[in-house]
Amino acid sequence: MSLAEAPVAETPAAPARATARLLRSELRLVFGRVRNIVLLAGLAAVPLLIGTVLFITQDTPVAGQGPPFLDRVTGNGVFLVFAALVSCLPFLLPLCVSIVSGDAIAGEAGAGTLRYLLVVPVPRTRLLLVKAFAALAYAGAAVAAIAVVGLVAGAAFFGVGDVVLLSGDTIPLAEGMVRTLGVVAYVIASLTGLVAVGLFLSTLTEVPVAAMASTVVVAIVSGVLDALPQLSAIHPGLLTHHWLDFGEFLRLEIDASTLLAGLAVQAAWVAIFGALAWSRFTTADVSS
């Protein structure tokens, strides 16, 4: 059979199988890179480090001082998950997500492999979606690594039990675990906008470091602007403004409107920068 006849012989399921193979290959690429593995290990070490420090200093005058939730960790190890996420969200998590999403397209272009991917042939829209899914999967793995190690370390150092909410009400441990899963899911969803930004910037250059750095800068600038009360009018639309709203899961009555507002902002960033990435990638003249 000639190459020209191959498309005619394709079964309806062939594109789905090709997409699945492409996705498996991309996930192996993302999670198989030593750099990305080291980043995951570094994130996982954060709750372990925090837990160790709190365990050593729990009977000293500085016990409980630090980021939100830190003063509750020694009373219930579950709070180590929240304390670690609060510690990682301002910089470490955005850095890791920026590195992977910024490298998604630019890394292939810089290495000279993007052209060969496109002549397989792989539809550009499909390739972009696969790259986006892999980057988001990595973001999910990063958050999960912090949460799992935080929960294990918290249980080992301080034990776990019924969860005392921010309002002072107490809920059973089982319900606390469900709310912890909600926190993890919300944090992952809060990083989708940053993934879209990184993917778009990755389509603009063949230098992956430039795309990575630019994505990190977007997150940092958003955080800086969010800290300026003079710009309160634009705060609700900033990429990072709602990142810490997962605290709603630790209230007796969860304010769904607050969480939905945060998700809506991320959806808007995904829609805008996802469309820009698609427009750029599907029309660009790929020569490398």
Side-chain angles (χ1 to χ4, degrees):
M1 182 181 294
S2 67
L3 291 177
E5 296 172 331
V8 178
E10 271 192 346
T11 64
R17 290 197 298 268
T19 300
R21 287 196 300 270
L22 182 62
L23 179 57
R24 288 195 298 268
S25 175
E26 184 65 22
L27 289 173
R28 284 196 299 268
L29 178 66
V30 169
F31 287 95
R33 282 182 173 159
V34 175
R35 176 195 66 196
N36 295 347
I37 295 173
V38 171
L39 289 173
L40 282 178
L43 287 172
V46 170
L48 184 60
L49 179 61
I50 293 175
T52 302
V53 171
L54 291 177
F55 183 76
I56 294 173
T57 62
Q58 60 182 324
D59 296 322
T60 67
V62 297
Q65 297 181 18
F69 304 113
L70 209 62
D71 59 333
R72 294 172 174 257
V73 173
T74 55
N76 191 335
V78 173
F79 280 91
L80 183 55
V81 176
F82 313 132
L85 287 173
V86 169
S87 299
C88 291
L89 264 176
F91 182 71
L92 290 179
L93 266 173
L95 174 65
C96 294
V97 172
S98 297
I99 288 175
V100 174
S101 60
D103 184 60
I105 303 297
E108 299 276 12
T113 56
L114 183 58
R115 178 177 54 187
Y116 299 105
L117 272 178
L118 296 176
V119 298
V120 170
V122 177
R124 295 193 182 193
T125 298
R126 182 192 302 173
L127 179 59
L128 187 67
L129 288 173
V130 166
K131 293 284 186 181
F133 183 87
L136 184 57
Y138 185 86
V143 177
I146 296 171
V148 170
V149 175
L151 186 59
V152 172
F157 283 131
F158 311 109
V160 295
D162 293 346
V163 178
V164 179
L165 302 176
L166 299 180
S167 59
D169 298 283
T170 301
I171 59 174
L173 177 60
E175 184 179 346
M177 291 296 97
V178 172
R179 291 184 180 230
T180 301
L181 288 176
V183 168
V184 171
Y186 183 82
V187 173
I188 294 173
S190 296
L191 295 170
T192 55
L194 188 61
V195 169
V197 171
L199 208 62
F200 167 61
L201 294 174
S202 188
T203 66
L204 300 179
T205 178
E206 295 182 1
V207 183
V209 173
M212 297 173 193
S214 299
T215 308
V216 174
V217 168
V218 170
I220 292 175
V221 169
S222 175
V224 170
L225 296 178
D226 198 32
L228 298 176
Q230 296 85 349
L231 299 176
S232 59
I234 67 170
H235 286 176
L238 292 175
L239 180 65
T240 59
H241 181 68
H242 296 278
W243 278 5
L244 297 180
D245 284 354
F246 66 76
E248 286 297 322
F249 285 98
L250 296 177
R251 302 185 189 280
L252 185 61
E253 297 294 334
I254 299 174
D255 186 357
S257 63
T258 298
L259 299 176
L260 289 175
L263 295 177
V265 169
Q266 295 303 316
W269 279 76
V270 169
I272 294 170
F273 284 92
L276 290 173
W278 176 82
S279 177
R280 168 67 181 175
F281 187 58
T282 55
T283 59
D285 180 16
V286 177
S287 58
S288 61

